[in-house]
């Protein structure tokens, strides 16, 4: 009886080892992006004096804030909508290839952070359609990752990651974000 159980036990142990080895191998695989792109978007926030050039505005603010100057306490409670130009380089005056359209919400009192929801809407001969983004943006980090959650046109159903980096800023009126997009699902 013991002789019959031993081969069965060995067979079960070998099965478990092969399953765990296969699972470990799957976890270490790295996926390569099907498409990589870098864009810059330029945000000029309305400050009460720059209506002609502003590309974003505060549309919601806490009781202690107002809609022309970002609130204190790390801008907590401010909701900003934007329609920013997207360029292929870091020059604000370069020809735009599209618009970054959406909002950011400063969502924490203790630290400078925001939550983003926006789309890159392309209008160039090189790209047609849009890419949609959403996620937390811990602004004090040098680079931040947010999710690519879909798209249209050339980017239909796209999924991936966008790494944001604040490339430049001038006080509380202008900032430029470098957006390094890596798509892992392309149709």
């Amino acid at each position: 009886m013991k002789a019959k159980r031993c081969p069965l036990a060995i067979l079960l142990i070998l099965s478990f080892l092969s399953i765990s080895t296969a699972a470990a191998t799957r976890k270490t695989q790295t996926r390569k992006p099907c498409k990589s792109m870098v864009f810059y978007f330029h945000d000029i926030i309305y400050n009460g004096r720059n209506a002609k050039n502003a590309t974003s505005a505060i549309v919601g603010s806490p009781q202690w804030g107002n809609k022309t100057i970002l609130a204190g306490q790390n801008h907590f409670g401010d909701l900003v909508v934007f329609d920013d130009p997207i360029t292929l380089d870091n020059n604000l005056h370069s020809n735009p290839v599209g618009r970054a359209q959406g909002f950011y919400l400063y969502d924490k009192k203790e630290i400078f952070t925001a939550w983003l929801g926006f789309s890159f809407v392309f209008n160039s001969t090189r790209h047609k359609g849009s890419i949609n983004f959403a996620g937390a943006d811990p602004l004090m980090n040098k680079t931040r990752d947010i999710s690519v959650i879909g798209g249209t046109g050339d980017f239909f159903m796209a999924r991936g990651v966008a790494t944001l980096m604040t490339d430049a800023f001038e006080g509380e009126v202008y900032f430029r974000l470098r957006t390094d997009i890596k798509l892992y699902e392309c149709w």
Side-chain angles (χ1 to χ4, degrees):
M1 186 93 163
K2 285 185 178 180
K4 289 183 180 179
R5 286 188 190 167
C6 188
L8 183 60
I10 291 173
L11 184 60
L12 283 172
I13 290 171
L14 288 174
S15 295
F16 286 128
L17 286 174
S18 67
I19 290 170
S20 65
T21 304
T25 304
R26 243 181 284 136
K27 289 180 184 176
T28 59
Q29 288 179 342
T30 57
R31 293 179 60 187
K32 293 186 178 176
C34 51
K35 187 170 230 155
S36 297
M37 303 167 285
V38 174
F39 298 101
Y40 294 83
F41 75 92
H42 308 266
D43 190 79
I44 304 168
I45 194 161
Y46 174 69
N47 66 1
R49 297 181 303 277
N50 62 348
K52 184 178 179 183
N53 296 327
T55 61
S56 63
I58 303 167
V59 296
S61 62
Q63 190 173 13
W64 66 85
N66 67 55
K67 292 187 174 103
T68 31
I69 300 171
L70 291 165
Q73 298 180 340
N74 295 311
H75 310 318
F76 175 72
D78 282 336
L79 172 62
V80 178
V81 296
F82 59 90
D83 180 20
D84 298 337
I86 305 168
T87 61
L88 295 173
D89 60 21
N90 62 6
N91 185 344
L92 172 62
H93 303 291
S94 293
N95 286 331
V97 295
R99 306 293 294 184
Q101 299 171 329
F103 68 92
Y104 48 96
L105 169 67
Y106 292 100
D107 59 353
K108 213 162 179 189
K109 279 185 182 180
E110 300 81 29
I111 190 166
F112 197 49
T113 184
W115 195 90
L116 304 168
F118 65 98
S119 298
F120 277 5
V121 180
F122 294 98
N123 60 3
S124 68
T125 56
R126 189 171 176 184
H127 300 294
K128 297 282 186 212
S130 65
I131 303 174
N132 305 314
F133 307 86
D137 186 10
L139 296 161
M140 299 310 290
N141 296 351
K142 183 175 181 177
T143 61
R144 296 91 67 191
D145 290 335
I146 61 170
S147 300
V148 174
I149 58 172
T152 64
D154 294 344
F155 310 102
F156 179 74
M157 299 283 290
R159 301 225 193 263
V161 174
T163 302
L164 304 177
M165 184 177 81
T166 304
D167 189 51
F169 68 93
E170 295 175 16
E172 295 185 347
V173 176
Y174 172 79
F175 67 84
R176 179 178 60 230
L177 290 181
R178 182 182 191 275
T179 309
D180 186 359
I181 303 168
K182 300 216 180 332
L183 300 179
Y184 293 93
E185 289 184 25
C186 303
W187 294 91

